[in-house]
Amino acid sequence: DCISGGRLIAGFPVGTPMDTTYAYGTNPSQLRDRYYEAHDLVLRAWTEKETFAFNGRYNQQRYVNIWPRPIQQPHPPIWIPGAGSVETWRWAAEMDYVFCYLSYYGYKMAQNVMKGFWEEMARLGKDRNPYRAGFAQVVGVAETRQQALDLYTGPAEYFYGRCLHVDVRFAGPPGYVTEATQRAGIESQIKIAAQGKTASGPATNASSAQKMQSLARDMKGIVDNGYVIVGSPDDVVEQLRELATTLNVGQLMLLMQFGNMSKDVTKYNTRLFAEKVMPKLKPLFAEWENRWWPQPMERRQRATLPAFTPATAAE
């Protein structure tokens, strides 16, 4: 936050069991309690002006007194990444944080999760401010749709064919998914069955490993299922507008580099999006206040860094 002049967004993910449980040996049933306690420690460190002692169940610190302190006060905006846990929705609402649905599978498969999120917000008496929610979407922009397909087919098929492998044994150890979330998933499946419908694509509460088994891996399937939004600037504007309004999300987190995409293509994709897509999306949700966006220092208040000059070998 200090280095950027107050432009930090702090993400607080619970984490996957692949690192927390299998690499670090943490009991999966304790992960959420540990997460809440660690969050409380970080938040107190950011906001308390005096040195304090922290005596939690999992963390004990005799003296806590961070320096430097965050530029943004009382603290940087906090976004909570998740994949559909009921507890995460409720906690994000209670703490007034942004819930960010992180999915590589596109907005078409995200509709049930986000529908559940907004139903839970209504039950808790929260408004439908779209900036309460974020969504991650893979995007590829080019001057024409055909050019976009030519540029991004290789990276997309590489990404969905080779980069998302998760062994089912490591995806969901007992205790990692809470009872409430399992119940919600079962009830959702029962409701779908009762209506005589078939869920398209992976179930929203399926593990990463299960999702991987049912992924489309060819470009046609990837595009048709909405995993990647590709096309001309106007095509991408139309699809992202549909995404934002359908899911009611104001915080779009776009993956402009994916798979084996080169640096030059990544820069081209990002620049074209910034110049020809982003300006047309800015008016979306203008009637709502975004209370979860960074509040940076004015540019004149920021430190001026000297130009970087690489040292020569002789020096």
Side-chain angles (χ1 to χ4, degrees):
D1 199 48
C2 294
I3 292 172
S4 67
R7 290 181 288 172
L8 174 71
I9 293 172
F12 279 65
V14 174
T16 74
M18 288 171 281
D19 52 12
T20 51
T21 297
Y22 293 107
Y24 307 145
T26 303
N27 185 326
S29 67
Q30 295 179 351
L31 290 180
R32 196 164 289 271
D33 286 341
R34 288 177 176 271
Y35 169 83
Y36 292 146
E37 184 178 295
H39 160 273
D40 293 346
L41 172 57
V42 172
L43 209 64
R44 282 191 65 185
W46 279 346
T47 56
E48 292 208 11
K49 305 301 182 184
E50 303 296 332
T51 302
F52 66 91
F54 189 88
N55 188 27
R57 179 180 179 185
Y58 306 105
N59 301 274
Q60 296 83 38
Q61 301 292 334
R62 179 171 292 180
Y63 303 112
V64 181
N65 181 25
I66 64 167
W67 191 262
R69 308 192 67 79
I71 296 293
Q72 299 180 82
Q73 293 296 318
H75 57 76
I78 295 176
W79 294 12
I80 309 300
S85 165
V86 175
E87 287 83 3
T88 300
W89 296 344
R90 292 171 181 168
W91 189 70
E94 176 188 342
M95 302 301 296
D96 199 30
Y97 295 157
V98 174
F99 167 71
C100 302
Y101 183 32
L102 301 187
S103 169
Y104 294 122
Y105 311 110
Y107 70 101
K108 294 180 181 179
M109 288 188 182
Q111 293 182 29
N112 284 339
V113 170
M114 295 311 300
K115 180 175 181 290
F117 170 76
W118 288 115
E119 287 175 351
E120 186 66 19
M121 293 304 100
R123 194 188 69 79
L124 296 172
K126 301 294 183 179
D127 60 27
R128 284 182 58 84
N129 187 332
Y131 294 112
R132 288 187 180 279
F135 185 72
Q137 176 67 49
V138 182
V139 173
V141 194
E143 293 294 347
T144 67
R145 179 172 178 79
Q146 186 57 52
Q147 184 183 1
L149 291 172
D150 293 341
L151 274 176
Y152 304 119
T153 291
E157 291 183 346
Y158 184 100
F159 182 61
Y160 286 98
R162 302 177 65 177
C163 296
L164 295 176
H165 296 283
V166 179
D167 191 294
V168 67
R169 295 169 296 177
F170 300 131
Y176 178 70
V177 179
T178 63
E179 180 181 340
T181 297
Q182 293 187 56
R183 285 182 180 276
I186 293 170
E187 289 170 1
S188 175
Q189 293 177 35
I190 292 173
K191 186 181 296 184
I192 290 172
Q195 294 171 347
K197 298 179 180 179
T198 301
S200 59
T204 56
N205 67 323
S207 70
S208 298
Q210 291 170 319
K211 286 182 179 180
M212 182 61 202
Q213 301 307 315
S214 56
L215 278 179
R217 292 179 172 83
D218 63 284
M219 191 59 171
K220 184 179 186 306
I222 289 169
V223 172
D224 289 348
N225 284 295
Y227 301 171
V228 178
I229 289 177
V230 297
S232 68
D234 288 342
D235 293 336
V236 172
V237 167
E238 181 181 353
Q239 292 178 75
L240 285 177
R241 189 177 284 130
E242 179 185 354
L243 179 160
T245 54
T246 301
L247 303 184
N248 194 42
V249 294
Q251 316 283 14
L252 291 179
M253 301 167 289
L254 305 181
L255 287 75
M256 311 302 293
Q257 193 283 337
F258 47 93
N260 59 351
M261 188 185 295
S262 70
K263 178 180 178 180
D264 288 341
V265 174
T266 301
K267 291 171 67 176
Y268 169 79
N269 190 22
T270 305
R271 183 178 66 253
L272 199 60
F273 180 88
E275 293 174 351
K276 297 190 176 182
V277 177
M278 191 163 63
K280 296 181 180 180
L281 294 175
K282 281 188 175 181
L284 271 176
F285 307 127
E287 68 276 18
W288 292 95
E289 178 188 3
N290 187 355
R291 298 185 287 105
W292 300 272
W293 195 250
Q295 300 296 322
M297 302 168 64
E298 294 183 19
R299 186 169 294 277
R300 60 183 176 81
Q301 295 178 303
R302 301 177 195 169
T304 302
L305 299 177
F308 173 70
T309 304
T312 63
E315 294 175 338

